[in-house]
Amino acid sequence: MPRDIPPLSDVRRLTQKKRDAWWTVLLVDPVATPLVRLTARWTRITPNQITWGALVLGLGAAGCFAMGDWRWLIAGALIYHVSFILDCMDGKVARLTGQGSVFGAWLDYIFDRVRVMACAVALMGGQYHRTGDIWYVWLAVVVVFLDGLRYLNALEIFKTRHTMRKKIKAHVRAARRAQNEQSLAFMEDLLRANPSADMEQDLTGAAADAETGVDEDGDVVEARRETDEPEAQEAETEAPKRQVVDLHQEFRSRFPAYLRLRAFLLRHRIRTHLISGIEFQMAVFIIGPLIDQVIGTTIVAGALLLVFELAIIYKLLLSTRDFGRTLETFEQEAQAQEVQAQEARKDGVPTAV
């Protein structure tokens, strides 16, 4: 008995991220999304079973890489790409069928790292056995290190941003009481809700767009799924009149060309982190083996990954400066309100509680 699954256009809307890696948008989603609909409609395969299938194929790709011969390299590259398609399908099936779980997310993350490590050791080991070039041994270490660095850095950056947001909300809560704390929103959430908006608009314009229903709800849902930030949920449900806190103001003021590039990419669902962990993996395990240029491709992809990671770190640095200025502004406002309250009490004017 087939499940009642919506048409393909709705499946795309429900399962595809509004911002994703260009490799996924261009080379994976056109294949994965129709397969997700067929899988959800005609089978009882669970997301965790798909995750296991992706791991098995990934280890199969590693086995091909270990053989060293160029024919096996091509086979390994093709199998790795199929493995990645399955890796993208598990989350889509989970969202479409409501079978997502915390354990499934953990399993997916761990298996991704296992697949990368196995393929890195097998690919570079096979090439070292074939050529005797010591470079391949060092590249195996570099690939595993960069993959770990990318995902550890992403986790720590998220934790830092989350901490800044929590401190701002706690400060406002203490200074302005609960009714005014609810009127706080973050520019990052408003622009995430409307990713195609012109980011050079002023804060009032951005807030108005988000409040009048310019809603990319798939992106907001995806952000909640990946980050589980309560602030992201509040951005949709808070009262109409909100004070907007922009923790990326300095970055945007310094790089106006970036805003135009970002708007263009987001219109095509492509995130501005053009060389992330996904593109790095695809370069090392697909492009390099296919063109039989493993060393050169790995070095170039690794260098580009580091460049983009440094850019993210620099953006975080500027964001921490905006964070400091925001807290200073709140403190100044609180002091000014306290002075006004004291003067009002001296003059015998009743003050609001």
Side-chain angles (χ1 to χ4, degrees):
M1 187 69 179
R3 287 175 175 167
D4 185 16
I5 300 297
L8 185 58
S9 59
D10 290 338
V11 173
R12 289 194 182 98
R13 178 179 57 82
L14 293 170
T15 63
Q16 291 182 353
K17 300 177 184 179
K18 297 303 177 185
R19 296 184 295 177
D20 212 339
W22 64 264
W23 185 282
T24 303
V25 171
L26 300 178
L27 300 176
V28 175
D29 280 349
V31 177
T33 306
L35 289 177
V36 165
R37 185 176 186 274
L38 293 175
T39 301
R41 180 172 173 80
W42 295 104
T43 75
R44 290 297 184 266
I45 297 176
T46 66
N48 286 353
Q49 290 172 335
I50 297 176
T51 303
W52 275 100
L55 175 65
V56 170
L57 283 179
L59 296 179
C64 293
F65 290 147
M67 302 300 293
D69 183 75
W70 69 270
R71 296 178 183 85
W72 287 105
L73 290 183
I74 294 175
L78 296 178
I79 294 174
Y80 191 90
H81 192 248
V82 175
S83 170
F84 185 69
I85 290 175
L86 287 182
D87 184 44
C88 293
M89 286 178 59
D90 56 6
K92 289 177 167 55
V93 170
R95 292 190 289 276
L96 185 61
T97 62
Q99 294 178 297
S101 67
V102 175
F103 178 77
W106 174 87
L107 194 71
D108 182 51
Y109 179 84
I110 295 300
F111 281 5
D112 284 350
R113 308 285 69 75
V114 171
R115 179 180 57 189
V116 169
M117 287 189 290
C119 287
V121 172
L123 175 62
M124 303 308 173
Q127 293 306 295
Y128 173 72
H129 180 74
R130 181 174 69 90
T131 65
D133 190 342
I134 195 66
W135 266 96
Y136 289 106
V137 176
W138 288 109
L139 284 180
V141 177
V142 168
V143 170
V144 173
F145 170 77
L146 290 179
D147 179 74
L149 175 66
R150 162 63 193 136
Y151 288 96
L152 285 175
N153 187 41
L155 176 62
E156 290 303 315
I157 286 178
F158 160 71
K159 289 169 61 177
T160 302
R161 289 175 175 170
H162 184 66
T163 299
M164 289 191 295
R165 292 155 67 100
K166 285 181 63 177
K167 287 184 177 180
I168 288 176
K169 295 184 80 68
H171 192 282
V172 172
R173 186 181 297 113
R176 303 187 178 183
R177 307 302 181 190
Q179 68 271 19
N180 286 333
E181 189 274 334
Q182 293 175 356
S183 67
L184 182 69
F186 289 92
M187 174 63 78
E188 183 180 2
D189 292 333
L190 301 179
L191 292 173
R192 182 185 293 121
N194 183 14
S196 61
D198 180 5
M199 293 182 62
E200 293 178 278
Q201 63 188 322
D202 59 21
L203 301 184
T204 303
D209 284 345
E211 292 159 2
T212 53
V214 186
D215 185 19
E216 299 279 359
D217 59 328
D219 190 31
V220 173
V221 170
E222 192 61 35
R224 290 200 299 265
R225 184 185 68 83
E226 293 181 349
T227 65
D228 196 28
E229 293 185 59
E231 292 89 347
Q233 301 178 31
E234 292 170 0
E236 290 183 275
T237 59
E238 288 170 337
K241 293 183 179 180
R242 292 178 280 182
Q243 177 179 358
V244 179
V245 174
D246 186 3
L247 294 181
H248 298 290
Q249 186 174 2
E250 184 172 349
F251 180 84
R252 285 196 290 271
S253 66
R254 291 193 180 197
F255 303 99
Y258 163 82
L259 308 181
R260 293 187 288 272
L261 174 63
R262 182 182 186 276
F264 171 79
L265 292 175
L266 289 183
R267 282 194 290 270
H268 298 83
R269 293 202 305 117
I270 297 174
R271 63 191 181 196
T272 51
H273 194 175
L274 296 178
I275 307 297
S276 65
I278 291 175
E279 289 82 10
F280 176 66
Q281 292 178 36
M282 302 308 134
V284 173
F285 301 129
I286 296 180
I287 297 176
L290 285 178
I291 65 177
D292 197 18
Q293 295 291 331
V294 174
I295 292 180
T297 304
T298 302
I299 292 175
V300 171
L304 290 174
L305 177 65
L306 285 176
V307 168
F308 276 87
E309 291 303 301
L310 290 174
I312 289 177
I313 294 171
Y314 178 66
K315 186 177 180 182
L316 177 66
L317 172 63
L318 298 184
S319 182
T320 59
R321 295 176 180 175
D322 286 324
F323 168 70
R325 285 191 290 266
T326 299
L327 288 185
E328 290 178 1
T329 299
F330 286 156
E331 291 173 357
Q332 292 171 0
E333 291 178 355
Q335 292 174 359
Q337 291 177 359
E338 180 64 24
V339 170
Q340 291 178 357
Q342 292 177 357
E343 293 178 350
R345 285 193 293 269
K346 291 179 180 179
D347 296 337
V349 177
T351 58
V353 178

